Amino acid sequence: MQEKSQHAAVKKFSQIKAHILDRIESGEWDVNQKIPSENELAAQFQVSRMTARRAVQELTEQDVLIRTQGLGTFVADTKTQSSLLEIKNIADEINDRGHMHSSTQVALSTIDAIPPVAIALGVEEYSPVFHSILIHHQNNVPIQLEERFVNPGIAPQYIDQDFNDITPHEYLSRVAPLTEAKHSVEAIQSNKQQSDWLNIDMKQPCLQLLRRTWSNQGVVSFARLIYPGSRYKLGGHLTFHTSQKIKMKG
Amino acid sequence: MQEKSQHAAVKKFSQIKAHILDRIESGEWDVNQKIPSENELAAQFQVSRMTARRAVQELTEQDVLIRTQGLGTFVADTKTQSSLLEIKNIADEINDRGHMHSSTQVALSTIDAIPPVAIALGVEEYSPVFHSILIHHQNNVPIQLEERFVNPGIAPQYIDQDFNDITPHEYLSRVAPLTEAKHSVEAIQSNKQQSDWLNIDMKQPCLQLLRRTWSNQGVVSFARLIYPGSRYKLGGHLTFHTSQKIKMKG
DNA sequence: CAAATCAGCTTGTATATACAATTGACTGTG
DNA sequence: CACAGTCAATTGTATATACAAGCTGATTTG
């Protein structure tokens, strides 16, 4: 069965990025500590210097590292973080961390909108809406259960898609560019069905993120995203929030 | 020292970036319009493809351009959105909702910093730090368990306060104005002690929010905030920010 | 001793090349 | 006409190489 799809293979430079991030997040490499040079990384990972350089370069652009010509590369101070949690889509988040994202479509159908769904979507109660369920994996481990209700008036072709090829978020962004989104986060206990899909024990604590998205035509979709508490933290990583930074010369 | 002409001092890839930005800002290249391919730019500027690529690549990372493999490079829409969750302190949040906030001090002492706490606070392992535990209520119902570790070097009088009168957050804001904060959110199961304090059944799903706060003197405190899943949702708040102007250096 | 120089490391810029992956258009076949 | 296959263009990944430029520490020189 070919239900599974890999939206991206893990590139060499991504592996090196992930390795560097791991060392930093584990505390093995402290702030201001010098990290291996491009040549050392290249030798260690059996890649060319240019490939190692790319990994280091991209992390530098994200303010994770600081480089000085002639001196070396150092772990950046983490101070420039905001008190805002950035909610990104799961595929980008996984890829940004240098891991492999894949997803499995579990269901895709038209259902009658029960009142809470109808209210969230702004449609008539018991009118038909699209309903999809996907499981997202990081390195083949389930990390998010995505249940989504979609307004058929705004994305009428949603039902004809194959979400093994493209994520619902990606598809919806394409057909109805987002103008607004609202989130809420809470802790819940997984039920039997959810535990099965996420491959965790029953009644484990999970993060539940509810998201409503708008385009200029109205509410596009209402999604319930469930993450196993043991495998996911929201905002535990650097929120590089392209701020206009003052650069100081030391 | 050999003199160099100013023209040679400007990097080639920078010249190409400037050229592309000029075309976009002058309106010559409209939004969504296809721009010359890497090979065309390389030929036009008499550089290698990799150099032209670098210019286009950097602008893509700044959301000025959008690239699609096999298709080409296009001028991006000037608006990008990201949704951010705002984390507020519990007392303000409860008051903002028009409810009554109260808190109970459970513990306040000096302890030796075990390694994870020491790392979070940026102090020596097993050096003394302040430790407080409070329960916050909304309309007399427990809604947050606050466990906090405080850097004594920055708030030496923390240990002498009575946190039935003032919240730790309020006190710390007063003595060491916060400059930065970092959060992570996850789902956990409450243990016996936590369940008792929050007056909930054991092993209920809870939101755990970890917060590190900085002042300009360093890490002020590290807090673990636990909310019963049944009583609290982290509020969704949306922010749009238009892309900032890209300034070229050099 | 103090200053200048040099050697050796680092990152920065640039080139040339190869092949993979994706898209869209073209083309031949039934 | 419909469809499948092919092909060209384009971006994506990766390598190998060369030299420039900046920093540090050791060496040489005045």
Side-chain angles (χ1 to χ4, degrees):
Chain A
M1 141 151 139
Q2 316 274 78
E3 290 292 323
K4 216 156 201 192
S5 67
Q6 296 190 0
H7 290 136
V10 178
K11 313 299 182 195
K12 292 184 180 178
F13 72 86
S14 271
Q15 291 178 34
I16 301 176
K17 281 175 71 173
H19 173 261
I20 294 171
L21 284 174
D22 277 351
R23 295 302 170 97
I24 294 174
E25 285 173 12
S26 72
E28 194 170 336
W29 290 351
D30 209 357
V31 166
N32 292 330
Q33 182 175 331
K34 187 168 183 295
I35 78 166
S37 72
E38 293 175 356
N39 283 320
E40 287 167 346
L41 285 173
Q44 181 179 343
F45 284 87
Q46 298 277 311
V47 299
S48 75
R49 180 193 155 207
M50 293 310 286
T51 300
R53 176 177 177 76
R54 176 168 176 186
V56 175
Q57 196 61 38
E58 291 191 2
L59 290 176
T60 302
E61 275 152 23
Q62 296 175 343
D63 295 328
V64 174
L65 301 173
I66 293 177
R67 323 195 70 188
T68 310
Q69 188 175 146
L71 243 180
T73 304
F74 305 85
V75 177
D77 206 320
T78 56
K79 278 195 186 156
T80 56
Q81 268 144 15
S82 77
S83 60
L84 300 171
L85 290 182
E86 184 172 8
I87 312 281
K88 305 179 63 175
N89 84 74
I90 188 72
D92 285 352
E93 193 173 342
I94 290 172
N95 287 328
D96 282 355
R97 285 204 290 265
H99 294 127
M100 189 191 67
H101 170 261
S102 59
S103 58
T104 307
Q105 176 176 315
V106 174
L108 177 58
S109 62
T110 304
I111 63 169
D112 293 340
I114 58 174
V117 170
I119 291 169
L121 284 181
V123 299
E124 289 275 319
E125 291 188 4
Y126 304 108
S127 67
V129 298
F130 301 139
H131 177 234
S132 63
I133 298 178
L134 274 84
I135 300 166
H136 294 268
H137 310 81
Q138 171 173 295
N139 300 333
N140 296 319
V141 177
I143 196 169
Q144 184 198 85
L145 176 60
E146 171 192 342
E147 182 177 15
R148 192 180 287 268
F149 301 91
V150 175
N151 188 334
I154 295 181
Q157 260 104 59
Y158 187 83
I159 194 73
D160 301 321
Q161 304 306 309
D162 180 350
F163 292 119
N164 294 300
D165 295 337
I166 183 175
T167 67
H169 175 269
E170 204 178 341
Y171 173 72
L172 290 173
S173 298
R174 194 173 297 178
V175 302
L178 303 185
T179 57
E180 208 177 331
K182 271 190 185 173
H183 298 86
S184 76
V185 181
E186 62 191 309
I188 62 161
Q189 249 179 6
S190 59
N191 64 24
K192 170 98 176 64
Q193 177 70 85
Q194 293 161 350
S195 306
D196 275 358
W197 277 329
L198 288 170
N199 195 23
I200 57 177
D201 292 337
M202 252 199 82
K203 305 225 171 175
Q204 286 301 296
C206 292
L207 275 189
Q208 172 172 280
L209 201 156
L210 300 180
R211 167 189 284 167
R212 272 206 296 173
T213 54
W214 280 259
S215 76
N216 45 24
Q217 306 160 69
V219 178
V220 177
S221 81
F222 173 56
R224 171 158 61 173
L225 312 175
I226 296 178
Y227 305 82
S230 55
R231 299 186 194 141
Y232 186 80
K233 290 186 191 181
L234 190 55
H237 309 271
L238 327 136
T239 68
F240 43 88
H241 158 317
T242 59
S243 58
Q244 48 276 46
K245 258 187 157 161
I246 313 295
K247 253 202 176 150
M248 311 244 329
K249 259 293 206 179
Chain B
M1 152 140 199
Q2 67 275 23
E3 282 296 323
K4 273 175 299 197
S5 71
Q6 280 199 330
H7 189 268
V10 179
K11 314 299 180 195
K12 292 185 181 178
F13 73 86
S14 273
Q15 291 179 37
I16 301 176
K17 280 175 73 173
H19 173 260
I20 294 172
L21 283 173
D22 276 351
R23 296 303 169 96
I24 294 174
E25 284 172 12
S26 72
E28 195 171 335
W29 291 350
D30 208 359
V31 166
N32 292 329
Q33 181 175 331
K34 187 169 183 294
I35 78 166
S37 71
E38 293 176 356
N39 282 320
E40 287 168 345
L41 285 171
Q44 180 180 342
F45 284 87
Q46 296 277 308
V47 299
S48 75
R49 181 194 153 206
M50 294 309 287
T51 300
R53 175 177 179 76
R54 176 168 177 185
V56 175
Q57 196 62 37
E58 291 190 2
L59 291 176
T60 301
E61 273 153 24
Q62 295 175 332
D63 295 326
V64 174
L65 301 174
I66 294 178
R67 323 194 71 188
T68 310
Q69 188 173 110
L71 242 179
T73 304
F74 306 84
V75 178
D77 204 323
T78 53
K79 286 199 171 113
T80 61
Q81 77 256 337
S82 81
S83 27
L84 304 166
L85 280 185
E86 187 172 3
I87 312 283
K88 306 173 67 171
N89 85 74
I90 188 70
D92 286 353
E93 195 172 342
I94 290 172
N95 288 329
D96 283 354
R97 286 204 291 263
H99 294 125
M100 187 191 69
H101 170 261
S102 59
S103 60
T104 308
Q105 176 177 316
V106 174
L108 178 59
S109 62
T110 303
I111 63 169
D112 293 339
I114 58 174
V117 170
I119 291 170
L121 283 181
V123 300
E124 288 275 318
E125 292 187 3
Y126 304 107
S127 67
V129 297
F130 301 139
H131 178 233
S132 63
I133 298 178
L134 275 84
I135 300 165
H136 294 268
H137 310 80
Q138 171 174 293
N139 301 333
N140 296 318
V141 177
I143 197 170
Q144 184 197 86
L145 176 61
E146 171 193 340
E147 181 175 16
R148 190 180 290 267
F149 301 91
V150 176
N151 188 334
I154 296 181
Q157 261 102 59
Y158 187 84
I159 194 73
D160 301 322
Q161 303 307 308
D162 180 349
F163 291 119
N164 293 300
D165 295 337
I166 184 175
T167 67
H169 176 268
E170 203 178 340
Y171 173 72
L172 290 174
S173 298
R174 194 173 300 175
V175 302
L178 302 186
T179 56
E180 306 292 339
K182 184 181 174 182
H183 299 85
S184 76
V185 181
E186 62 191 307
I188 62 161
Q189 254 178 1
S190 59
N191 64 25
K192 170 98 177 64
Q193 179 70 86
Q194 294 161 349
S195 306
D196 275 359
W197 276 329
L198 289 170
N199 195 23
I200 57 176
D201 291 339
M202 251 199 81
K203 305 224 169 175
Q204 286 300 297
C206 292
L207 275 189
Q208 172 172 279
L209 201 155
L210 300 180
R211 167 188 285 165
R212 272 206 296 175
T213 55
W214 281 260
S215 76
N216 46 23
Q217 305 161 68
V219 177
V220 177
S221 80
F222 172 55
R224 171 158 60 174
L225 311 174
I226 296 177
Y227 306 82
S230 55
R231 298 184 194 143
Y232 185 78
K233 291 184 189 183
L234 192 53
H237 172 94
L238 173 93
T239 355
F240 277 115
H241 52 111
T242 57
S243 66
Q244 44 279 114
K245 282 197 181 155
I246 310 299
K247 281 254 166 84
M248 299 278 307
K249 293 181 224 169

